[in-house]
Amino acid sequence: MIRTRYAAALATLAVTALAMSASPASAAPGDTLTMCHSALTPTSWVDTQWWNSGGCGSGFTPNTKQIKDLRGYPVGTQVAACASTWPPAGWTITNTYYSSGCRYSAVPSFDANTWTLKRTS
């Protein structure tokens, strides 16, 4: 049991270190990273997908997310983003809908959890 906890903690650290080593400052528009739910989504990035992963813990709540860099996109670009993070400055919500890929809570719901974002400035 202790080995399992140690392995889970080590895996979480490895995923977090990987996410932090790919510095958001050096990312190109549209670059994606995978990180554990406990890590905050950096400024100018949005969550694009959620799922369960043994590397980020256990349980029924989605604990792993994919994030996308929105810096550098031209005005008028549209992207889909989970409603688990606020849109960055210069992006406007144009549509809301449900997506199973953006289910970031253990409580099942078909409420809108995804946004279409449009670059406006």
Side-chain angles (χ1 to χ4, degrees), residues 88-120:
W91 290 84
T92 303
I93 300 168
T94 60
N95 190 22
T96 60
Y97 57 96
Y98 172 80
S99 169
S100 60
C102 283
R103 193 177 66 83
Y104 52 89
S105 169
V107 179
S109 168
F110 291 113
D111 291 339
N113 63 358
T114 308
W115 295 323
T116 300
L117 302 177
K118 185 175 184 178
R119 180 74 188 256
T120 54

Side-chain angles (χ1 to χ4, degrees), residues 22-82:
S23 169
S26 64
D31 276 358
T32 61
L33 294 173
T34 299
M35 57 182 23
C36 294
H37 70 287
S38 57
L40 295 177
T41 302
T43 302
S44 300
W45 292 65
V46 292
D47 301 342
T48 56
Q49 187 177 12
W50 284 85
W51 67 94
N52 285 325
S53 167
C56 288
S58 62
F60 296 104
T61 302
N63 60 12
T64 308
K65 60 185 173 181
Q66 181 181 64
I67 63 171
K68 179 184 252 186
D69 185 8
L70 296 187
R71 292 173 296 170
Y73 278 111
V75 171
T77 301
Q78 294 190 37
V79 297
C82 298

